Amino acid sequence: MVDALGVAVIGFGWMGRVHTQAYARVRHHYPHLPLRPELVTVAEEVPGRAEEAAAQFGFASTTRHWREVAADPRVRAVSITAPNFLHREIGVAMAGAGKHIWIEKPVGLTAADARAVADAVAQAGVCGTVGFNYRNAPAVEKARDLIAAGEIGTVTHARVRLFSDYAAHPESALTWRYERERGGSGVLGDLASHGVDLARYLLGELTSLTADTAVFVPERARPTGATAGHTRVRGGALGPVENEDYVNCLLRFASGARGVLEASRVAVGEQNTYGFEVHGTRGALLWDFRRMNELGVSRGTAYQDQPVSTVYVGPGDGEFGAFQPGAGNAMGYDDLKVVEAYRFLRSIAEHRPYGATLADAVRSADALEAMTRSAATGTWADLPTP
């Protein structure tokens, strides 16, 4: 028997749309999932946006006030895709109301925010999934399996990069993303949080780090109306960019491995240039998000001049088989969010966690705060023991 699960989406910008599409598609790819998500309500404060979402996707109702979602008995699970400064308040309220939550990273502005949501989820006994979607790529899961099996020997060092140009244009509007009180730590929370999660997912816990940050576009024009995504604007009053455009970080892992994490939102010529290289004593693994379904693999006993092969993931890797019948057929970004939706719903159905959890969000937030401390002091910063 398939149980209907009433879901709500809070915040209907681009990511709210992605979550909604994932709910609509999830049973197409996972027909045996014992839960069927039903779109009950969408909450969005921008006038008209919720109504447009309901007309397009079939939400049964709309509201401009997210607190009405917490009081709605039809809603059993909530996607929280509102701006960062609202994550803690909404997350704690929804968990307290007994709603399962799928919340976007970085889960608030600080590690205290992430811990507050994690504690609320634990206290309420509900499920909490976090939007660290890049770990869901089948090639990333294959890389993790190869590392765990010792296929590249003992990992010695790794590099994780997340370069984008979404804020490179000087006419990019001064939205909440660039304000410390509403956007948090800039590119750290936006992109480096994903980098920390990838590093931990592949190589285990971080113990310490040292970081350097910079703001390269110090002023932007304030928008004159509602924005969505990365809006450009002319003629608005200029205001200061309060958080980071760039971060470069050296990492130390509990295993003894070393790493480099670099992220930029103003990298001209780079569009979603995300990926990693992991080197071991007998080989290496290389992944580029823009070629998401390929994994560079070097392994063997040659050591010197050892070649790298391109491996196409297939139905035996991660969740690939739920989307494509054979290697060489591409999955895309939205598919990663369908995987995330599936793992969220499976967590609810089976009462056990699948995928990234609030504990992962807390560990990522701890690392981001360590980066901020290190950049301010010019010293190494230790991370709390898990």
Side-chain angles (χ1 to χ4, degrees):
M1 180 177 178
V2 177
D3 183 20
L5 183 81
V7 300
V9 176
I10 298 177
F12 206 81
W14 170 67
M15 187 53 68
R17 177 179 295 271
V18 172
H19 276 230
T20 302
Q21 291 170 169
Y23 285 129
R25 293 177 53 200
V26 66
R27 282 185 53 82
H28 298 170
H29 299 279
Y30 299 95
H32 301 297
L33 185 68
L35 292 175
R36 175 171 49 82
E38 290 188 348
L39 300 177
V40 170
T41 191
V42 54
E44 171 57 62
E45 65 176 11
V46 176
R49 191 178 284 176
E51 289 74 15
E52 291 176 3
Q56 181 175 3
F57 294 101
F59 286 97
S61 60
T62 67
T63 179
R64 291 184 62 184
H65 307 289
W66 64 260
R67 292 187 185 280
E68 293 183 4
V69 176
D72 192 334
R74 300 173 300 167
V75 176
R76 293 171 56 196
V78 180
S79 278
I80 302 171
T81 55
N84 299 352
F85 69 95
L86 294 171
H87 286 183
R88 177 174 181 164
E89 185 178 14
I90 297 175
V92 170
M94 294 302 151
K99 320 291 189 187
H100 306 286
I101 65 171
W102 175 12
I103 185 168
E104 274 304 315
K105 56 84 208 166
V107 188
L109 305 178
T110 65
D113 287 351
R115 281 190 172 83
V117 179
D119 290 346
V121 164
Q123 184 174 354
V126 296
C127 296
T129 291
V130 179
F132 288 128
N133 45 270
Y134 297 109
R135 63 157 63 189
N136 298 329
V140 175
E141 296 192 82
K142 185 178 184 71
R144 187 175 192 244
D145 291 342
L146 291 173
I147 292 168
E151 291 293 321
I152 62 169
T154 300
V155 172
T156 54
H157 55 94
R159 178 183 297 273
V160 181
R161 68 191 182 283
L162 298 105
F163 292 164
S164 186
D165 64 357
Y166 69 78
H169 203 292
E171 293 177 0
S172 294
L174 187 70
T175 64
W176 61 267
R177 294 180 182 277
Y178 303 100
E179 299 175 2
R180 185 71 65 180
E181 288 190 1
R182 297 198 298 165
S185 56
V187 76
L188 277 69
D190 195 21
L191 295 181
S193 59
H194 279 300
V196 171
D197 186 67
L198 279 173
R200 290 183 57 251
Y201 182 72
L202 292 168
L203 305 180
E205 293 297 341
L206 301 168
T207 58
S208 59
L209 56 80
T210 184
D212 182 38
T213 63
V215 178
F216 294 125
V217 183
E219 290 186 321
R220 299 180 185 274
R222 299 186 187 280
T224 56
T227 62
H230 306 294
T231 305
R232 287 168 54 183
V233 63
R234 289 184 180 180
L238 293 178
V241 172
E242 299 174 350
N243 52 28
E244 302 85 351
D245 286 332
Y246 171 85
V247 61
N248 186 27
C249 188
L250 300 179
L251 309 171
R252 290 174 178 165
F253 293 85
S255 66
R258 299 296 193 262
V260 177
L261 190 159
E262 191 176 14
S264 175
R265 64 188 182 186
V266 295
V268 175
E270 305 283 2
Q271 297 86 38
N272 297 323
T273 308
Y274 307 156
F276 58 75
E277 298 91 39
V278 179
H279 294 269
T281 53
R282 294 200 311 273
L285 300 168
L286 305 88
W287 181 70
D288 185 332
F289 167 67
R290 297 167 303 174
R291 304 180 70 90
M292 191 178 81
N293 303 287
E294 302 175 16
L295 183 66
V297 180
S298 177
R299 54 183 168 176
T301 58
Y303 298 98
Q304 187 176 8
D305 299 327
Q306 184 163 284
V308 177
S309 299
T310 298
V311 176
Y312 291 92
V313 293
D317 301 312
E319 299 292 336
F320 187 90
F323 296 86
Q324 298 294 352
N329 294 289
M331 287 177 62
Y333 175 88
D334 284 10
D335 296 331
L336 302 184
K337 302 306 275 190
V338 175
V339 173
E340 210 164 86
Y342 162 66
R343 290 175 174 168
F344 175 46
L345 297 171
R346 186 179 178 189
S347 297
I348 296 169
E350 299 184 16
H351 308 288
R352 56 177 294 184
Y354 292 94
T357 67
L358 270 301
D360 295 305
V362 170
R363 293 302 291 163
S364 177
D366 283 338
L368 301 186
E369 291 201 347
M371 291 178 197
T372 301
R373 294 197 308 273
S374 175
T377 62
T379 61
W380 282 83
D382 293 332
L383 274 69
T385 301

